[in-house]
Amino acid sequence: MHTFLKARLAAVLGACALFLGLAAHAADEPRRPECVAPAQPGGGFDLTCRLATEGLKQSGALQSAMRIVYMPGGIGAVAYNNIVAQHPDEPGTIVAFSGGSLLNLAQGKFGKYNVNDVRWLAGIGTDYGVAVVRNDSPYTDLKSLMEAFKKDPTKIVLGAGGTVGSQDWMKAALTAKAAGVDFRKMRFVAFEGGGEAVTALRGGHIQAYMGDAAEAFTMLEGGAPIRVLAVFNNERLPGKLNSVPTAKEQGYDIDWPIIRGFYVGPKVSDKDYQFWVDAFNKTMDSPEYAKLREQQGLFPFRKTGAELDAYVKERVQMYRELADSFGLIKK
């Protein structure tokens, strides 16, 4: 009987140790996790947060339900200032960012804070710039468009969403630069979004639309009468846009990735930061993740932790130099 009791006691102690071990592991997960989308519902930031919430849940990397909080303003400026100034050590809050956020950060549009004021966490997907014309356009490749643009900049009107200094304007300015045209002489029309721009393209009000690959793919799938002349990436995209040559293939050095990812507050502990790094790595390792990413119209891009931090800071520096060359940095 004594032996039996000892065995029972050992079993109970073992179960307690297992329970405590599981509890300790569970404690690594932040309480009430949330994803801040720095815009109104329905936009790119919202989709980025939805990709994270669904991916983290599906992979089992996050056990708790993660809510989405909307904080619009300045393509991320309001959320950036909020997390740095008011919630710098909040372990359960991740904030979505995009290439547009980095471009604005480079131009000093986030107030007194800079790229070093948060902890860059994970890049989970990307899109790329594209040059689009009507399917009956006389411009059948990027070279023919560029030659016409260089010959008479007034006859080629470029359209896109966003004002001067925005991502879409930058794509147009880079196109002008690559064509050997002074960007100050280019005719640029800003629209509310891709739908308006394509309507203008179809009506002949603009000759080319500086859009995004995922957006163009959706339009093509929907039967829109457009032709994609070039992808602004170093290599061709996978999938159905693989037949579209890059700008570099056609002799023009235009590269414009539009990454999507997350950061956390500057005072989040190394332990909590590493939890999120591990969670995103586990999620992006899962076989279901690629399908989720594609559903949000994004292409492969994976960087976490120190690798993403280095990439973001390098990109912001490049954007700063680019913006300065276009006279967008206030002296």
Side-chain angles (χ1 to χ4, degrees):
M1 190 68 164
H2 179 67
T3 303
F4 173 75
L5 288 172
K6 285 174 69 177
R8 288 285 292 168
L9 180 61
V12 170
L13 290 173
C16 288
L18 177 63
F19 175 78
L20 290 172
L22 289 171
H25 176 73
D28 290 342
E29 181 174 307
R31 295 180 59 217
R32 296 189 295 276
E34 64 181 21
C35 182
V36 175
Q40 298 289 353
F45 288 128
D46 189 12
L47 294 180
T48 307
C49 277
R50 290 185 185 282
L51 177 56
T53 56
E54 187 63 28
L56 290 164
K57 176 184 176 182
Q58 199 173 87
S59 68
L62 191 66
Q63 301 300 316
S64 306
M66 184 161 68
R67 68 175 184 144
I68 299 176
V69 177
Y70 300 98
M71 197 176 293
I75 313 180
V78 170
Y80 203 85
N81 279 261
N82 178 270
I83 200 79
V84 175
Q86 299 179 37
H87 303 283
D89 57 353
E90 178 52 60
T93 301
I94 64 173
V95 187
F97 77 92
S98 70
S101 307
L102 302 185
L103 180 60
N104 275 5
L105 194 57
Q107 294 179 59
K109 294 182 178 179
F110 278 18
K112 63 181 180 180
Y113 299 118
N114 62 45
V115 69
N116 299 309
D117 288 317
V118 299
R119 303 193 73 176
W120 301 98
L121 180 62
I124 62 171
T126 190
D127 200 352
Y128 296 95
V130 290
V132 177
V133 296
R134 264 180 17 180
N135 61 355
D136 62 352
S137 169
Y139 311 116
T140 56
D141 55 22
L142 188 60
K143 184 178 181 181
S144 59
L145 175 67
M146 292 299 219
E147 287 177 346
F149 195 18
K150 187 172 184 178
K151 185 177 180 180
D152 188 352
T154 65
K155 290 186 177 179
I156 304 295
V157 182
L158 304 179
T163 55
V164 173
S166 68
Q167 284 205 90
D168 289 340
W169 182 89
M170 279 289 190
K171 285 180 283 187
L174 286 172
T175 301
K177 183 179 179 181
V181 173
D182 185 338
F183 72 93
R184 286 164 293 203
K185 293 181 180 179
M186 74 174 179
R187 296 177 64 191
F188 177 82
V189 180
F191 297 95
E192 285 296 320
E196 277 192 13
V198 170
T199 299
L201 187 69
R202 294 174 69 174
H205 305 296
I206 62 175
Q207 281 64 56
Y209 167 50
M210 301 294 107
D212 301 333
E215 184 179 41
F217 172 75
T218 301
M219 291 175 182
L220 286 169
E221 289 287 280
I226 62 170
R227 179 189 300 141
V228 184
L229 298 184
V231 172
F232 296 162
N233 187 31
N234 291 326
E235 56 188 39
R236 293 197 183 196
L237 300 181
K240 294 185 179 181
L241 287 179
N242 188 253
S243 62
V244 179
T246 68
K248 288 193 176 182
E249 281 181 70
Q250 301 177 71
Y252 301 97
D253 188 14
I254 312 174
D255 178 32
W256 198 267
I258 307 158
I259 69 167
R260 297 281 180 183
F262 303 94
Y263 62 84
V264 294
K267 295 182 180 179
V268 168
S269 71
D270 289 344
K271 181 181 177 182
D272 290 319
Y273 177 78
Q274 192 59 45
F275 167 82
W276 285 112
V277 169
D278 293 342
F280 276 108
N281 282 334
K282 180 178 179 180
T283 295
M284 289 187 281
D285 280 339
S286 66
E288 300 85 7
Y289 179 73
K291 184 177 180 181
L292 283 175
R293 189 197 66 240
E294 288 168 8
Q295 286 173 351
Q296 301 295 359
L298 295 177
F299 298 93
F301 180 91
R302 174 176 176 167
K303 292 185 188 298
T304 57
E307 187 182 14
L308 177 70
D309 182 79
Y311 175 87
V312 164
K313 289 173 181 174
E314 177 185 304
R315 202 77 196 169
V316 167
Q317 179 60 31
M318 186 274 286
Y319 284 152
R320 185 176 293 116
E321 292 169 2
L322 184 64
D324 191 36
S325 73
F326 287 132
L328 300 173
I329 302 293
K330 293 180 181 179
K331 304 295 185 180

